[in-house]
Amino acid sequence: MSSSPKPVKKVPIHLQSAQNRVYIKNGQVVNHDKTFKADVYIEDGIIKFVGPASEIGVPGGVKTIDATGKLIIPGGIDPHTHFQLKFGGTVSVDDFYHGTKAAVAGGTTTIIDFVLPDKGESLVEAYDKWRAWADPKVCCDYGLHMGITWWSKSVSDEMKIMCDELGVNSFKMFMAYKGLYQLNDTELLETFERIRSLGAVAQVHAENGDIIAKNVTKLLSAGVTGPEGHELSRQEEVEAEAVNRACILAHQADCPLYVVHVMSKSAGIELARARFRYKNRGIYGETLAAALGTNGTHCLNECWHHAAAHILSPPLRPDPTTPEFMMQLLANDDLQTTGSDNCTFNKSQKEIGMGNFSKIPNGVNGVEDRMSIVWEKGVHAGLLDPCRFVAVTSTNAAKIFNMYPQKGRIAAGSDADVVIWDPNMTRKISKDTHHHACDFNIFEGMVCHGVPEVVIVRGRICVENDNVRVAEGYGKFVPCEVRPAFVYDALEGKVKPEEVVNHEEEMINGSKKLNLCDALEIEIPYQEPITRALLSGNACMPGAGEGSLASTPSCRGHRIDGQRNMQESTFSISEELDRSGNRSCIKVRNPPGGKSSGFW
Ligand code: URP
Ligand code: ZN
Ligand code: ZN
């Protein structure tokens, strides 16, 4: 029996300049959750149509690209760059022009840089400075995170201005760089509480700065002054301890946490344990192109310049099996994103640390090569499927920082940040051909499958036929609103953990994939953070019978009389509880190691 074809309502294409209109035909669209054959039509910087050719009428004069055999993927989002950063007594050489040009050349169409105020500097003033540097130079869209490099009432007040008026929804705190940016645990707790009250996302640089400071002194006085001293002063467990502590502190403040640059197996395991313990709610992790594409044996190279060029913090690990382990964590959703931490210094700048490893300016390249490294070590190596590649190079960052689906998806209505990716083509990485301003490339000589053949930045073709033609100042600032649904719905239990993890449980070869803790069959009972328990009336105060408040329906969801709203607090929980004298008497509904509260 033959059925007559349904009449198809064709999407009309407006007659405008071919410059504004691009038609990509015969490609394979890859989003984080599915992949399918489709044509893509772009007009005025927006994706207007994704679907079969039969549903779109294409007039003449439109720039048409044949993507047969290629993938059409969302432009990469690099959530971690430091362009023209004043750091270690010098300034990183990739400015917002060279940095974003390199990004685009490699298939990244959005970057998120960090505003890092000096100690005592106003957040708003530092933000204005970054905008003034970036706006005239950026070749692709960008967002900003704010560093909380010191802590005071004025900083806390300005965080609200950042969120409400200036499009910043994420704040990075440093647990290292003692005497410069490092915050102590009380300050961390207070920043987490503040961030939670604003509906923002906390980030940490997780290394124990106190241990590092001691080790640096010990190593230098023992005569260890070369680059090899860097990793010795901040070994894996120094990173792992801080990851564990940050996760617990953030959980106590009921604040979502994104751990930047997870660089070691031990730190990755701590993050995976925390995600497992908290049922995938509120903890996210990023690793770097550097951690996936190279390793710390380079820091032992007999050439001082070669070794120093590989110095960043946390360090590359000397264990050469680390990169594959980190990729496995990405594959299993123990980690969610890849950044570059692009913070490049030339040979002459690295020489500041000759004779004292602790003075070597920290930082490496990665913004240009991140996508190719993840493809090569992930997809080409058989550890990631193309959907997961899109998730960890683009979509997850867009979701966590609330840019999704404007960014991070090939769909009608999304920004036309589109890459035509040739999975079969190869390219050799070299400082001689890269688009960075720096004179070294940590991936030198590596041959990568996966090449961004065409890169379209908000509708503008910037890479084609091996030519990189960017426009300085074309990029726009992307304001990020607070309360990213992906993060807050999970934190508040509005979605089930399965929905959070979703399709990533399926392996490329079809067998079930387990994350680290599942695989080890570890059982860690969940304990609700006291902050949340108090807010929801899910805790028992002294004098009341155990469980009485929580079990009285009228008390549910109400504040206990006389208590402040903990999420509005700018004080540490511990200080408050100490002052009220209540601390030792508070009983929560679920005893340590006990059953889940039933909220989940
Ligand atoms: O070594 C690094 N990572 N340099 C940039 C600053 C930071 O800590 O992210
Ligand atoms: Zn850092
Ligand atoms: Zn960084």
Side-chain angles (χ1 to χ4, degrees), residues 518-592:
D518 284 337
L520 297 173
E521 291 184 15
I522 300 170
E523 270 222 27
I524 307 171
Y526 180 77
Q527 273 194 289
E528 193 173 49
I530 189 69
T531 317
R532 198 192 308 152
L534 289 171
L535 258 181
S536 62
N538 193 28
C540 314
M541 303 304 287
E546 188 166 336
S548 63
L549 256 177
S551 57
T552 309
S554 59
C555 294
R556 269 266 171 117
H558 289 103
R559 283 201 291 132
I560 301 162
D561 260 354
Q563 273 187 255
R564 285 183 301 102
N565 178 347
M566 302 299 277
Q567 288 181 3
E568 289 300 323
S569 169
T570 54
F571 299 92
S572 77
I573 301 164
S574 57
E575 280 171 24
E576 272 300 273
L577 294 176
D578 281 342
R579 235 177 279 142
S580 71
N582 282 339
R583 185 184 217 182
S584 56
C585 323
I586 288 180
K587 290 178 189 154
V588 288
R589 221 173 136 205
N590 308 301

Side-chain angles (χ1 to χ4, degrees), residues 74-124:
I77 300 174
D78 185 338
H80 192 151
T81 68
H82 300 283
F83 296 147
Q84 61 191 82
L85 177 69
K86 189 165 60 119
F87 195 66
T90 185
V91 178
S92 61
V93 286
D94 279 324
D95 63 4
F96 281 93
Y97 172 69
H98 289 95
T100 54
K101 182 177 181 183
V104 171
T108 288
T109 54
T110 305
I111 61 102
I112 315 183
D113 204 81
F114 288 83
V115 179
L116 295 183
D118 293 333
K119 250 201 181 124
E121 189 181 12
S122 140
L123 271 49
V124 174

Side-chain angles (χ1 to χ4, degrees), residues 80 82 172-174 177 204-207 260-261 313-314 341:
H80 192 151
H82 300 283
K172 175 180 177 183
M173 280 69 64
F174 292 85
Y177 304 131
V204 286
H205 173 132
E207 287 184 291
V260 298
H261 48 43
S313 296
D341 201 0

